[in-house]
Amino acid sequence: MSGQSLLVPGELSPIRSVPGNIRRPEYVGKPAPTPYTGAEVQTPETIEAMRIAGRIAARAMAEAAKLIAPGVTTNELDRVAHDYMCDHGAYPSTLGYRGFPKSLCTSVNEVICHGIPDSTVLRDGDIVNLDVTAYIGGVHGDNNATYLVGDVDEESRLLVERTRESLDRAIKAVRPGRQINIIGRVIESYAKRFGYGVVRDFTGHGINSSFHSGLIVPHYDSPHATTVIQPGMTFTIEPMLTLGSYDYDMWDDGWTVVTKDRKRTAQFEHTLVVTDAGAEILTLP
């Protein structure tokens, strides 16, 4: 594994502004969102709106990813994604969600998820996950991907490739009538081939007009995940695989989640809608 030193918190820039004409999610300015009480199966109108939100989120992530290189700060990646979403009439869903201060998550090396963009400078050999969610038309679209920074060691590169493959396999396993634990079963069985850990305490989730609807999508084979998949359901799959333990610690900021053994971790995510034939990805650029 890379011999990079461990990540430490950087300095935060001021909160970015969003034009006043852009609709905010209901949770902005509140300590927590209002619990979702609607259905997990969405109307055709909601699904079409989610295609728009998902496309903007995917394109915002792609724009930020163009800048990834040694010497670039995670704060600069946040600026690019923020500006793209605002320029296209979307609100960055993470900004103000339970107090989160930035417009995307940047999770470097041993950070499992929810890393806060700051003055941290990307180094040659790092891996970095960008997690971008856009809110427009009253709905959210959520995606993430892990990128290589410069010349990355083979072990880390393979982890990234295989984590992407685990997501692809999980999406192909989605079928109406199956229980939702088929997703975790597929991911975990694939990850075990390589001795990777599968993070358990952070999961995929239902998404629609709510950022997190309450539906849980585990990435391991959970006997409790017995919800039956139905056409029209919308949710994310976002496996987090680790080179070592799936146990974690959290930084004092209350957001940044790091592997307990500080070994590297990768993640990929798409928002999906279940169709009669399987699943359609809503977060394609």
Side-chain angles (χ1 to χ4, degrees):
M1 191 184 77
S2 169
Q4 297 279 47
S5 58
L6 297 178
L7 200 68
V8 296
E11 296 295 322
L12 288 178
S13 66
I15 300 291
R16 302 189 195 281
S17 63
V18 176
N21 64 317
I22 292 178
R23 179 179 173 183
R24 273 74 168 152
E26 60 82 23
Y27 52 74
V28 174
K30 296 165 54 178
T34 302
Y36 178 71
T37 57
E40 297 296 343
V41 172
Q42 303 305 309
T43 65
E45 293 76 17
T46 296
I47 293 166
E48 183 55 36
M50 290 181 68
R51 286 193 183 95
I52 296 169
R55 187 159 55 244
I56 291 173
R59 290 176 177 172
M61 184 173 72
E63 285 300 306
K66 290 177 182 177
L67 271 70
I68 291 174
V72 174
T73 66
T74 55
N75 185 63
E76 182 67 4
L77 303 178
D78 179 77
R79 182 192 65 77
V80 171
H82 176 94
D83 288 350
Y84 186 94
M85 285 185 273
C86 291
D87 288 347
H88 291 80
Y91 186 90
S93 300
T94 60
L95 185 62
Y97 179 77
R98 297 183 181 270
F100 192 84
K102 293 295 176 181
S103 298
L104 80 164
C105 301
T106 50
S107 300
V108 180
N109 295 344
E110 69 271 18
V111 180
I112 295 171
C113 57
H114 304 159
I116 301 174
D118 58 20
S119 62
T120 295
V121 175
L122 296 177
R123 303 162 296 180
D124 187 60
D126 283 343
I127 60 175
V128 57
N129 179 274
L130 305 186
D131 192 339
V132 181
T133 310
Y135 178 79
I136 188 171
V139 298
H140 301 267
D142 186 3
N143 68 162
N144 76 55
T146 302
Y147 299 88
L148 310 181
V149 184
D151 185 16
V152 175
D153 68 276
E154 180 77 355
E155 186 179 38
S156 298
R157 185 183 62 79
L158 286 173
L159 173 69
V160 171
E161 289 181 5
R162 290 164 177 168
T163 305
R164 183 191 298 113
E165 175 66 16
S166 76
L167 173 60
D168 292 343
R169 289 174 179 238
I171 292 171
K172 290 175 182 176
V174 173
R175 291 285 187 280
R178 291 179 171 177
Q179 291 184 343
I180 213 158
N181 60 8
I182 186 66
I183 293 168
R185 187 176 308 139
V186 167
I187 292 168
E188 188 172 38
S189 64
Y190 180 70
K192 279 184 173 179
R193 294 189 197 178
F194 313 105
Y196 296 153
V198 181
V199 172
R200 294 179 171 233
D201 291 306
F202 300 90
T203 68
H205 52 89
I207 183 170
N208 39 65
S209 60
S210 174
F211 195 171
H212 299 85
S213 72
L215 175 68
I216 301 299
V217 183
H219 301 122
Y220 65 99
D221 187 6
S222 169
H224 306 295
T226 56
T227 299
V228 175
I229 298 170
Q230 302 176 60
M233 290 177 71
T234 50
F235 53 81
T236 72
I237 304 176
E238 45 188 298
M240 293 152 261
L241 305 186
T242 68
L243 288 176
S245 171
Y246 59 72
D247 292 329
Y248 68 92
D249 293 320
M250 186 174 289
W251 282 6
D252 291 342
D253 61 22
W255 284 105
T256 307
V257 179
V258 296
T259 54
K260 187 169 282 292
D261 57 14
R262 303 303 190 265
K263 291 186 177 181
R264 287 188 169 188
T265 176
Q267 181 184 17
F268 284 83
E269 174 187 22
H270 276 305
T271 295
L272 313 171
V273 59
V274 180
T275 67
D276 290 335
E280 174 193 345
I281 298 172
L282 298 176
T283 39
L284 291 176

